[in-house]
Amino acid sequence: MTGDEPFITAVKPLVDAMGGELLPPDEAGPDDVVLAWAGADVVAVRLPQLADSLDHILAAMERRQGRPLADLDRKAKQEVVRMLEARGAFAVRHGVETVAGALGVSRFTVYNYLNREKHP
């Protein structure tokens, strides 16, 4: 697997954004996804565990904001919760606790933000 192959170069940003890992196809495990191009297996993708994905998403949000999520104002934190809910973050075990910790708020506050969206 060479990094200069156009297909690998094309999929790498997506795999990185998901927190996945690229592997040679012959090292793929049963849960990995093997990607083929022009009829040949080119690369395998090892997807992250859901909890790892949430951590990866939170880190990416912090990078985009340019500061820790805990430093955001209330309205910005509510927007973060909306985006995370849309991405299924709260379906992950301990998702609310993980998000609350990243935002520097209580679980109760996260639930309030979620309920505010359902009952404006």
Side-chain angles (χ1 to χ4, degrees), residues 1-28 32-35 42-48:
M1 178 173 74
T2 60
D4 60 352
E5 291 183 43
F7 182 77
I8 293 172
T9 301
V11 300
K12 187 171 181 349
L14 175 62
V15 173
D16 289 346
M18 295 182 326
E21 178 184 355
L22 296 175
L23 306 166
D26 60 345
E27 292 181 20
D32 297 332
V33 179
V34 177
L35 303 177
V42 178
V43 67
V45 178
R46 180 158 295 153
L47 299 172

PDB file of all heavy atoms in Angstrom, residues 1-28 32-35 42-48:
ATOM      1  N   MET A   1       0.865  -1.182   0.000  1.00  0.00           N
ATOM      2  CA  MET A   1       0.000   0.000   0.000  1.00  0.00           C
ATOM      3  C   MET A   1       0.900   1.230   0.000  1.00  0.00           C
ATOM      4  O   MET A   1       1.633   1.460   0.943  1.00  0.00           O
ATOM      5  CB  MET A   1      -0.880  -0.040   1.252  1.00  0.00           C
ATOM      6  CG  MET A   1      -1.788   1.135   1.396  1.00  0.00           C
ATOM      7  SD  MET A   1      -2.942   0.962   2.773  1.00  0.00           S
ATOM      8  CE  MET A   1      -1.883   1.213   4.165  1.00  0.00           C
ATOM      9  N   THR A   2       0.847   1.977  -1.055  1.00  0.00           N
ATOM     10  CA  THR A   2       1.659   3.188  -1.125  1.00  0.00           C
ATOM     11  C   THR A   2       0.766   4.403  -1.028  1.00  0.00           C
ATOM     12  O   THR A   2      -0.342   4.423  -1.554  1.00  0.00           O
ATOM     13  CB  THR A   2       2.464   3.240  -2.434  1.00  0.00           C
ATOM     14  OG1 THR A   2       1.564   3.233  -3.531  1.00  0.00           O
ATOM     15  CG2 THR A   2       3.426   2.077  -2.548  1.00  0.00           C
ATOM     16  N   GLY A   3       1.253   5.421  -0.351  1.00  0.00           N
ATOM     17  CA  GLY A   3       0.463   6.621  -0.121  1.00  0.00           C
ATOM     18  C   GLY A   3       0.226   7.452  -1.356  1.00  0.00           C
ATOM     19  O   GLY A   3      -0.619   8.328  -1.361  1.00  0.00           O
ATOM     20  N   ASP A   4       0.984   7.171  -2.452  1.00  0.00           N
ATOM     21  CA  ASP A   4       0.815   8.012  -3.630  1.00  0.00           C
ATOM     22  C   ASP A   4      -0.211   7.466  -4.609  1.00  0.00           C
ATOM     23  O   ASP A   4      -0.442   8.073  -5.657  1.00  0.00           O
ATOM     24  CB  ASP A   4       2.163   8.241  -4.317  1.00  0.00           C
ATOM     25  CG  ASP A   4       2.822   6.954  -4.786  1.00  0.00           C
ATOM     26  OD1 ASP A   4       2.315   5.867  -4.439  1.00  0.00           O
ATOM     27  OD2 ASP A   4       3.824   7.039  -5.479  1.00  0.00           O
ATOM     28  N   GLU A   5      -0.822   6.335  -4.331  1.00  0.00           N
ATOM     29  CA  GLU A   5      -1.855   5.823  -5.220  1.00  0.00           C
ATOM     30  C   GLU A   5      -3.041   6.781  -5.189  1.00  0.00           C
ATOM     31  O   GLU A   5      -3.514   7.160  -4.117  1.00  0.00           O
ATOM     32  CB  GLU A   5      -2.297   4.429  -4.788  1.00  0.00           C
ATOM     33  CG  GLU A   5      -1.230   3.373  -4.993  1.00  0.00           C
ATOM     34  CD  GLU A   5      -1.726   1.991  -4.626  1.00  0.00           C
ATOM     35  OE1 GLU A   5      -2.864   1.648  -4.988  1.00  0.00           O
ATOM     36  OE2 GLU A   5      -0.966   1.280  -3.958  1.00  0.00           O
ATOM     37  N   PRO A   6      -3.537   7.185  -6.357  1.00  0.00           N
ATOM     38  CA  PRO A   6      -4.622   8.179  -6.402  1.00  0.00           C
ATOM     39  C   PRO A   6      -5.862   7.772  -5.603  1.00  0.00           C
ATOM     40  O   PRO A   6      -6.462   8.613  -4.938  1.00  0.00           O
ATOM     41  CB  PRO A   6      -4.944   8.296  -7.893  1.00  0.00           C
ATOM     42  CG  PRO A   6      -3.712   7.839  -8.588  1.00  0.00           C
ATOM     43  CD  PRO A   6      -3.082   6.816  -7.689  1.00  0.00           C
ATOM     44  N   PHE A   7      -6.235   6.517  -5.632  1.00  0.00           N
ATOM     45  CA  PHE A   7      -7.426   6.088  -4.899  1.00  0.00           C
ATOM     46  C   PHE A   7      -7.230   6.265  -3.397  1.00  0.00           C
ATOM     47  O   PHE A   7      -8.091   6.792  -2.698  1.00  0.00           O
ATOM     48  CB  PHE A   7      -7.764   4.633  -5.230  1.00  0.00           C
ATOM     49  CG  PHE A   7      -9.006   4.149  -4.541  1.00  0.00           C
ATOM     50  CD1 PHE A   7     -10.260   4.523  -5.005  1.00  0.00           C
ATOM     51  CD2 PHE A   7      -8.941   3.334  -3.425  1.00  0.00           C
ATOM     52  CE1 PHE A   7     -11.416   4.091  -4.371  1.00  0.00           C
ATOM     53  CE2 PHE A   7     -10.089   2.904  -2.780  1.00  0.00           C
ATOM     54  CZ  PHE A   7     -11.321   3.280  -3.265  1.00  0.00           C
ATOM     55  N   ILE A   8      -6.078   5.828  -2.899  1.00  0.00           N
ATOM     56  CA  ILE A   8      -5.796   5.950  -1.465  1.00  0.00           C
ATOM     57  C   ILE A   8      -5.729   7.423  -1.074  1.00  0.00           C
ATOM     58  O   ILE A   8      -6.274   7.832  -0.048  1.00  0.00           O
ATOM     59  CB  ILE A   8      -4.498   5.202  -1.095  1.00  0.00           C
ATOM     60  CG1 ILE A   8      -4.707   3.704  -1.291  1.00  0.00           C
ATOM     61  CG2 ILE A   8      -4.092   5.509   0.341  1.00  0.00           C
ATOM     62  CD1 ILE A   8      -3.460   2.869  -1.140  1.00  0.00           C
ATOM     63  N   THR A   9      -5.087   8.218  -1.918  1.00  0.00           N
ATOM     64  CA  THR A   9      -5.005   9.656  -1.669  1.00  0.00           C
ATOM     65  C   THR A   9      -6.407  10.267  -1.609  1.00  0.00           C
ATOM     66  O   THR A   9      -6.668  11.149  -0.791  1.00  0.00           O
ATOM     67  CB  THR A   9      -4.165  10.340  -2.766  1.00  0.00           C
ATOM     68  OG1 THR A   9      -2.861   9.754  -2.758  1.00  0.00           O
ATOM     69  CG2 THR A   9      -4.043  11.830  -2.524  1.00  0.00           C
ATOM     70  N   ALA A  10      -7.303   9.770  -2.441  1.00  0.00           N
ATOM     71  CA  ALA A  10      -8.674  10.303  -2.475  1.00  0.00           C
ATOM     72  C   ALA A  10      -9.479   9.930  -1.242  1.00  0.00           C
ATOM     73  O   ALA A  10     -10.247  10.746  -0.732  1.00  0.00           O
ATOM     74  CB  ALA A  10      -9.388   9.810  -3.736  1.00  0.00           C
ATOM     75  N   VAL A  11      -9.330   8.701  -0.727  1.00  0.00           N
ATOM     76  CA  VAL A  11     -10.156   8.268   0.409  1.00  0.00           C
ATOM     77  C   VAL A  11      -9.548   8.609   1.764  1.00  0.00           C
ATOM     78  O   VAL A  11     -10.255   8.633   2.762  1.00  0.00           O
ATOM     79  CB  VAL A  11     -10.480   6.752   0.355  1.00  0.00           C
ATOM     80  CG1 VAL A  11     -11.244   6.399  -0.904  1.00  0.00           C
ATOM     81  CG2 VAL A  11      -9.244   5.898   0.503  1.00  0.00           C
ATOM     82  N   LYS A  12      -8.255   8.897   1.808  1.00  0.00           N
ATOM     83  CA  LYS A  12      -7.588   9.146   3.092  1.00  0.00           C
ATOM     84  C   LYS A  12      -8.230  10.275   3.905  1.00  0.00           C
ATOM     85  O   LYS A  12      -8.448  10.111   5.108  1.00  0.00           O
ATOM     86  CB  LYS A  12      -6.105   9.404   2.884  1.00  0.00           C
ATOM     87  CG  LYS A  12      -5.337   9.510   4.196  1.00  0.00           C
ATOM     88  CD  LYS A  12      -3.863   9.556   3.983  1.00  0.00           C
ATOM     89  CE  LYS A  12      -3.043   9.628   5.246  1.00  0.00           C
ATOM     90  NZ  LYS A  12      -3.684   9.881   6.502  1.00  0.00           N
ATOM     91  N   PRO A  13      -8.574  11.436   3.313  1.00  0.00           N
ATOM     92  CA  PRO A  13      -9.203  12.485   4.135  1.00  0.00           C
ATOM     93  C   PRO A  13     -10.521  12.034   4.783  1.00  0.00           C
ATOM     94  O   PRO A  13     -10.800  12.391   5.928  1.00  0.00           O
ATOM     95  CB  PRO A  13      -9.442  13.624   3.143  1.00  0.00           C
ATOM     96  CG  PRO A  13      -8.471  13.390   2.041  1.00  0.00           C
ATOM     97  CD  PRO A  13      -8.307  11.908   1.948  1.00  0.00           C
ATOM     98  N   LEU A  14     -11.301  11.234   4.086  1.00  0.00           N
ATOM     99  CA  LEU A  14     -12.552  10.731   4.651  1.00  0.00           C
ATOM    100  C   LEU A  14     -12.273   9.771   5.802  1.00  0.00           C
ATOM    101  O   LEU A  14     -12.883   9.873   6.869  1.00  0.00           O
ATOM    102  CB  LEU A  14     -13.382  10.032   3.572  1.00  0.00           C
ATOM    103  CG  LEU A  14     -14.664   9.362   4.038  1.00  0.00           C
ATOM    104  CD1 LEU A  14     -15.626  10.386   4.637  1.00  0.00           C
ATOM    105  CD2 LEU A  14     -15.316   8.612   2.901  1.00  0.00           C
ATOM    106  N   VAL A  15     -11.342   8.862   5.596  1.00  0.00           N
ATOM    107  CA  VAL A  15     -10.993   7.898   6.645  1.00  0.00           C
ATOM    108  C   VAL A  15     -10.434   8.635   7.862  1.00  0.00           C
ATOM    109  O   VAL A  15     -10.791   8.330   9.000  1.00  0.00           O
ATOM    110  CB  VAL A  15     -10.005   6.844   6.110  1.00  0.00           C
ATOM    111  CG1 VAL A  15      -9.508   5.937   7.224  1.00  0.00           C
ATOM    112  CG2 VAL A  15     -10.669   6.018   5.002  1.00  0.00           C
ATOM    113  N   ASP A  16      -9.572   9.623   7.633  1.00  0.00           N
ATOM    114  CA  ASP A  16      -9.018  10.413   8.735  1.00  0.00           C
ATOM    115  C   ASP A  16     -10.122  11.148   9.491  1.00  0.00           C
ATOM    116  O   ASP A  16     -10.115  11.200  10.722  1.00  0.00           O
ATOM    117  CB  ASP A  16      -7.990  11.417   8.226  1.00  0.00           C
ATOM    118  CG  ASP A  16      -6.696  10.766   7.771  1.00  0.00           C
ATOM    119  OD1 ASP A  16      -6.476   9.571   8.078  1.00  0.00           O
ATOM    120  OD2 ASP A  16      -5.906  11.457   7.090  1.00  0.00           O
ATOM    121  N   ALA A  17     -11.081  11.724   8.770  1.00  0.00           N
ATOM    122  CA  ALA A  17     -12.175  12.469   9.405  1.00  0.00           C
ATOM    123  C   ALA A  17     -13.029  11.562  10.281  1.00  0.00           C
ATOM    124  O   ALA A  17     -13.578  12.004  11.289  1.00  0.00           O
ATOM    125  CB  ALA A  17     -13.040  13.148   8.345  1.00  0.00           C
ATOM    126  N   MET A  18     -13.137  10.294   9.906  1.00  0.00           N
ATOM    127  CA  MET A  18     -13.921   9.342  10.694  1.00  0.00           C
ATOM    128  C   MET A  18     -13.121   8.772  11.848  1.00  0.00           C
ATOM    129  O   MET A  18     -13.660   8.081  12.699  1.00  0.00           O
ATOM    130  CB  MET A  18     -14.368   8.165   9.818  1.00  0.00           C
ATOM    131  CG  MET A  18     -15.307   8.518   8.718  1.00  0.00           C
ATOM    132  SD  MET A  18     -15.859   7.096   7.728  1.00  0.00           S
ATOM    133  CE  MET A  18     -14.488   6.005   7.697  1.00  0.00           C
ATOM    134  N   GLY A  19     -11.801   9.010  11.853  1.00  0.00           N
ATOM    135  CA  GLY A  19     -10.959   8.410  12.880  1.00  0.00           C
ATOM    136  C   GLY A  19     -10.600   6.981  12.554  1.00  0.00           C
ATOM    137  O   GLY A  19     -10.219   6.215  13.433  1.00  0.00           O
ATOM    138  N   GLY A  20     -10.716   6.610  11.273  1.00  0.00           N
ATOM    139  CA  GLY A  20     -10.388   5.254  10.848  1.00  0.00           C
ATOM    140  C   GLY A  20      -8.909   5.097  10.560  1.00  0.00           C
ATOM    141  O   GLY A  20      -8.116   6.022  10.719  1.00  0.00           O
ATOM    142  N   GLU A  21      -8.538   3.908  10.100  1.00  0.00           N
ATOM    143  CA  GLU A  21      -7.147   3.590   9.818  1.00  0.00           C
ATOM    144  C   GLU A  21      -7.072   2.844   8.495  1.00  0.00           C
ATOM    145  O   GLU A  21      -7.897   1.970   8.216  1.00  0.00           O
ATOM    146  CB  GLU A  21      -6.620   2.712  10.956  1.00  0.00           C
ATOM    147  CG  GLU A  21      -5.214   2.244  10.814  1.00  0.00           C
ATOM    148  CD  GLU A  21      -4.813   1.287  11.944  1.00  0.00           C
ATOM    149  OE1 GLU A  21      -5.596   1.059  12.873  1.00  0.00           O
ATOM    150  OE2 GLU A  21      -3.688   0.764  11.853  1.00  0.00           O
ATOM    151  N   LEU A  22      -6.103   3.194   7.666  1.00  0.00           N
ATOM    152  CA  LEU A  22      -5.874   2.492   6.403  1.00  0.00           C
ATOM    153  C   LEU A  22      -4.900   1.350   6.620  1.00  0.00           C
ATOM    154  O   LEU A  22      -3.885   1.509   7.312  1.00  0.00           O
ATOM    155  CB  LEU A  22      -5.314   3.458   5.359  1.00  0.00           C
ATOM    156  CG  LEU A  22      -6.231   4.597   4.931  1.00  0.00           C
ATOM    157  CD1 LEU A  22      -5.497   5.545   3.995  1.00  0.00           C
ATOM    158  CD2 LEU A  22      -7.479   4.065   4.266  1.00  0.00           C
ATOM    159  N   LEU A  23      -5.206   0.204   6.013  1.00  0.00           N
ATOM    160  CA  LEU A  23      -4.357  -0.986   6.139  1.00  0.00           C
ATOM    161  C   LEU A  23      -4.203  -1.640   4.769  1.00  0.00           C
ATOM    162  O   LEU A  23      -5.073  -1.490   3.909  1.00  0.00           O
ATOM    163  CB  LEU A  23      -5.019  -2.026   7.052  1.00  0.00           C
ATOM    164  CG  LEU A  23      -5.458  -1.624   8.433  1.00  0.00           C
ATOM    165  CD1 LEU A  23      -6.381  -2.678   9.016  1.00  0.00           C
ATOM    166  CD2 LEU A  23      -4.229  -1.479   9.300  1.00  0.00           C
ATOM    167  N   PRO A  24      -3.133  -2.426   4.591  1.00  0.00           N
ATOM    168  CA  PRO A  24      -3.062  -3.230   3.365  1.00  0.00           C
ATOM    169  C   PRO A  24      -4.242  -4.213   3.355  1.00  0.00           C
ATOM    170  O   PRO A  24      -4.638  -4.718   4.413  1.00  0.00           O
ATOM    171  CB  PRO A  24      -1.732  -3.975   3.497  1.00  0.00           C
ATOM    172  CG  PRO A  24      -0.937  -3.187   4.496  1.00  0.00           C
ATOM    173  CD  PRO A  24      -1.950  -2.566   5.428  1.00  0.00           C
ATOM    174  N   PRO A  25      -4.805  -4.479   2.188  1.00  0.00           N
ATOM    175  CA  PRO A  25      -5.991  -5.358   2.132  1.00  0.00           C
ATOM    176  C   PRO A  25      -5.757  -6.752   2.717  1.00  0.00           C
ATOM    177  O   PRO A  25      -6.674  -7.345   3.273  1.00  0.00           O
ATOM    178  CB  PRO A  25      -6.335  -5.439   0.648  1.00  0.00           C
ATOM    179  CG  PRO A  25      -5.380  -4.575  -0.070  1.00  0.00           C
ATOM    180  CD  PRO A  25      -4.420  -3.970   0.893  1.00  0.00           C
ATOM    181  N   ASP A  26      -4.536  -7.268   2.615  1.00  0.00           N
ATOM    182  CA  ASP A  26      -4.271  -8.610   3.141  1.00  0.00           C
ATOM    183  C   ASP A  26      -4.181  -8.646   4.665  1.00  0.00           C
ATOM    184  O   ASP A  26      -4.118  -9.711   5.266  1.00  0.00           O
ATOM    185  CB  ASP A  26      -3.008  -9.214   2.515  1.00  0.00           C
ATOM    186  CG  ASP A  26      -1.752  -8.387   2.769  1.00  0.00           C
ATOM    187  OD1 ASP A  26      -1.868  -7.213   3.179  1.00  0.00           O
ATOM    188  OD2 ASP A  26      -0.648  -8.925   2.543  1.00  0.00           O
ATOM    189  N   GLU A  27      -4.216  -7.468   5.312  1.00  0.00           N
ATOM    190  CA  GLU A  27      -4.218  -7.404   6.779  1.00  0.00           C
ATOM    191  C   GLU A  27      -5.611  -7.118   7.331  1.00  0.00           C
ATOM    192  O   GLU A  27      -5.778  -6.916   8.531  1.00  0.00           O
ATOM    193  CB  GLU A  27      -3.242  -6.325   7.257  1.00  0.00           C
ATOM    194  CG  GLU A  27      -1.783  -6.659   6.989  1.00  0.00           C
ATOM    195  CD  GLU A  27      -0.840  -5.585   7.497  1.00  0.00           C
ATOM    196  OE1 GLU A  27      -1.241  -4.777   8.367  1.00  0.00           O
ATOM    197  OE2 GLU A  27       0.311  -5.564   7.013  1.00  0.00           O
ATOM    198  N   ALA A  28      -6.608  -7.097   6.461  1.00  0.00           N
ATOM    199  CA  ALA A  28      -7.981  -6.790   6.880  1.00  0.00           C
ATOM    200  C   ALA A  28      -8.522  -7.881   7.789  1.00  0.00           C
ATOM    201  O   ALA A  28      -8.330  -9.072   7.537  1.00  0.00           O
ATOM    202  CB  ALA A  28      -8.881  -6.629   5.667  1.00  0.00           C
ATOM    203  N   ASP A  32     -13.223  -5.161   9.153  1.00  0.00           N
ATOM    204  CA  ASP A  32     -12.673  -4.101   8.318  1.00  0.00           C
ATOM    205  C   ASP A  32     -13.397  -4.079   6.971  1.00  0.00           C
ATOM    206  O   ASP A  32     -13.982  -5.074   6.545  1.00  0.00           O
ATOM    207  CB  ASP A  32     -11.174  -4.315   8.097  1.00  0.00           C
ATOM    208  CG  ASP A  32     -10.387  -4.243   9.405  1.00  0.00           C
ATOM    209  OD1 ASP A  32     -10.844  -3.537  10.326  1.00  0.00           O
ATOM    210  OD2 ASP A  32      -9.333  -4.891   9.496  1.00  0.00           O
ATOM    211  N   VAL A  33     -13.327  -2.939   6.306  1.00  0.00           N
ATOM    212  CA  VAL A  33     -13.958  -2.762   5.001  1.00  0.00           C
ATOM    213  C   VAL A  33     -12.847  -2.698   3.951  1.00  0.00           C
ATOM    214  O   VAL A  33     -11.981  -1.829   4.018  1.00  0.00           O
ATOM    215  CB  VAL A  33     -14.801  -1.464   4.958  1.00  0.00           C
ATOM    216  CG1 VAL A  33     -15.422  -1.274   3.592  1.00  0.00           C
ATOM    217  CG2 VAL A  33     -15.850  -1.480   6.056  1.00  0.00           C
ATOM    218  N   VAL A  34     -12.875  -3.633   3.003  1.00  0.00           N
ATOM    219  CA  VAL A  34     -11.872  -3.650   1.939  1.00  0.00           C
ATOM    220  C   VAL A  34     -12.439  -2.882   0.748  1.00  0.00           C
ATOM    221  O   VAL A  34     -13.543  -3.157   0.285  1.00  0.00           O
ATOM    222  CB  VAL A  34     -11.495  -5.090   1.539  1.00  0.00           C
ATOM    223  CG1 VAL A  34     -10.504  -5.083   0.383  1.00  0.00           C
ATOM    224  CG2 VAL A  34     -10.909  -5.844   2.737  1.00  0.00           C
ATOM    225  N   LEU A  35     -11.668  -1.890   0.282  1.00  0.00           N
ATOM    226  CA  LEU A  35     -12.077  -1.073  -0.853  1.00  0.00           C
ATOM    227  C   LEU A  35     -11.339  -1.553  -2.099  1.00  0.00           C
ATOM    228  O   LEU A  35     -10.129  -1.755  -2.078  1.00  0.00           O
ATOM    229  CB  LEU A  35     -11.773   0.405  -0.600  1.00  0.00           C
ATOM    230  CG  LEU A  35     -12.396   1.013   0.660  1.00  0.00           C
ATOM    231  CD1 LEU A  35     -11.941   2.461   0.824  1.00  0.00           C
ATOM    232  CD2 LEU A  35     -13.916   0.942   0.606  1.00  0.00           C
ATOM    233  N   VAL A  42      -7.554  -2.611  -3.026  1.00  0.00           N
ATOM    234  CA  VAL A  42      -6.516  -1.588  -2.926  1.00  0.00           C
ATOM    235  C   VAL A  42      -6.133  -1.304  -1.484  1.00  0.00           C
ATOM    236  O   VAL A  42      -4.955  -1.189  -1.153  1.00  0.00           O
ATOM    237  CB  VAL A  42      -6.980  -0.280  -3.610  1.00  0.00           C
ATOM    238  CG1 VAL A  42      -5.938   0.813  -3.468  1.00  0.00           C
ATOM    239  CG2 VAL A  42      -7.302  -0.527  -5.066  1.00  0.00           C
ATOM    240  N   VAL A  43      -7.140  -1.175  -0.625  1.00  0.00           N
ATOM    241  CA  VAL A  43      -6.871  -0.776   0.747  1.00  0.00           C
ATOM    242  C   VAL A  43      -8.009  -1.265   1.643  1.00  0.00           C
ATOM    243  O   VAL A  43      -9.139  -1.435   1.179  1.00  0.00           O
ATOM    244  CB  VAL A  43      -6.707   0.763   0.850  1.00  0.00           C
ATOM    245  CG1 VAL A  43      -8.007   1.480   0.555  1.00  0.00           C
ATOM    246  CG2 VAL A  43      -6.133   1.196   2.176  1.00  0.00           C
ATOM    247  N   ALA A  44      -7.682  -1.513   2.893  1.00  0.00           N
ATOM    248  CA  ALA A  44      -8.698  -1.864   3.882  1.00  0.00           C
ATOM    249  C   ALA A  44      -8.846  -0.695   4.839  1.00  0.00           C
ATOM    250  O   ALA A  44      -7.879   0.025   5.108  1.00  0.00           O
ATOM    251  CB  ALA A  44      -8.295  -3.129   4.639  1.00  0.00           C
ATOM    252  N   VAL A  45     -10.052  -0.505   5.327  1.00  0.00           N
ATOM    253  CA  VAL A  45     -10.333   0.561   6.272  1.00  0.00           C
ATOM    254  C   VAL A  45     -10.787  -0.073   7.577  1.00  0.00           C
ATOM    255  O   VAL A  45     -11.738  -0.853   7.591  1.00  0.00           O
ATOM    256  CB  VAL A  45     -11.415   1.526   5.749  1.00  0.00           C
ATOM    257  CG1 VAL A  45     -11.730   2.597   6.790  1.00  0.00           C
ATOM    258  CG2 VAL A  45     -10.992   2.146   4.429  1.00  0.00           C
ATOM    259  N   ARG A  46     -10.086   0.261   8.641  1.00  0.00           N
ATOM    260  CA  ARG A  46     -10.491  -0.179   9.982  1.00  0.00           C
ATOM    261  C   ARG A  46     -11.252   0.975  10.615  1.00  0.00           C
ATOM    262  O   ARG A  46     -10.699   2.049  10.865  1.00  0.00           O
ATOM    263  CB  ARG A  46      -9.279  -0.559  10.819  1.00  0.00           C
ATOM    264  CG  ARG A  46      -9.683  -1.020  12.221  1.00  0.00           C
ATOM    265  CD  ARG A  46      -8.628  -1.882  12.853  1.00  0.00           C
ATOM    266  NE  ARG A  46      -8.493  -3.122  12.092  1.00  0.00           N
ATOM    267  CZ  ARG A  46      -7.365  -3.839  12.041  1.00  0.00           C
ATOM    268  NH1 ARG A  46      -6.303  -3.443  12.692  1.00  0.00           N
ATOM    269  NH2 ARG A  46      -7.312  -4.948  11.330  1.00  0.00           N
ATOM    270  N   LEU A  47     -12.536   0.777  10.810  1.00  0.00           N
ATOM    271  CA  LEU A  47     -13.383   1.815  11.388  1.00  0.00           C
ATOM    272  C   LEU A  47     -13.181   1.873  12.893  1.00  0.00           C
ATOM    273  O   LEU A  47     -12.935   0.850  13.529  1.00  0.00           O
ATOM    274  CB  LEU A  47     -14.849   1.533  11.057  1.00  0.00           C
ATOM    275  CG  LEU A  47     -15.165   1.520   9.568  1.00  0.00           C
ATOM    276  CD1 LEU A  47     -16.590   1.027   9.335  1.00  0.00           C
ATOM    277  CD2 LEU A  47     -14.968   2.884   8.957  1.00  0.00           C
ATOM    278  N   PRO A  48     -13.283   3.058  13.467  1.00  0.00           N
ATOM    279  CA  PRO A  48     -13.100   3.185  14.913  1.00  0.00           C
ATOM    280  C   PRO A  48     -14.310   2.652  15.673  1.00  0.00           C
ATOM    281  O   PRO A  48     -15.401   2.527  15.113  1.00  0.00           O
ATOM    282  CB  PRO A  48     -12.967   4.691  15.105  1.00  0.00           C
ATOM    283  CG  PRO A  48     -13.762   5.274  13.987  1.00  0.00           C
ATOM    284  CD  PRO A  48     -13.575   4.323  12.825  1.00  0.00           C
TER     285      PRO A  48
END
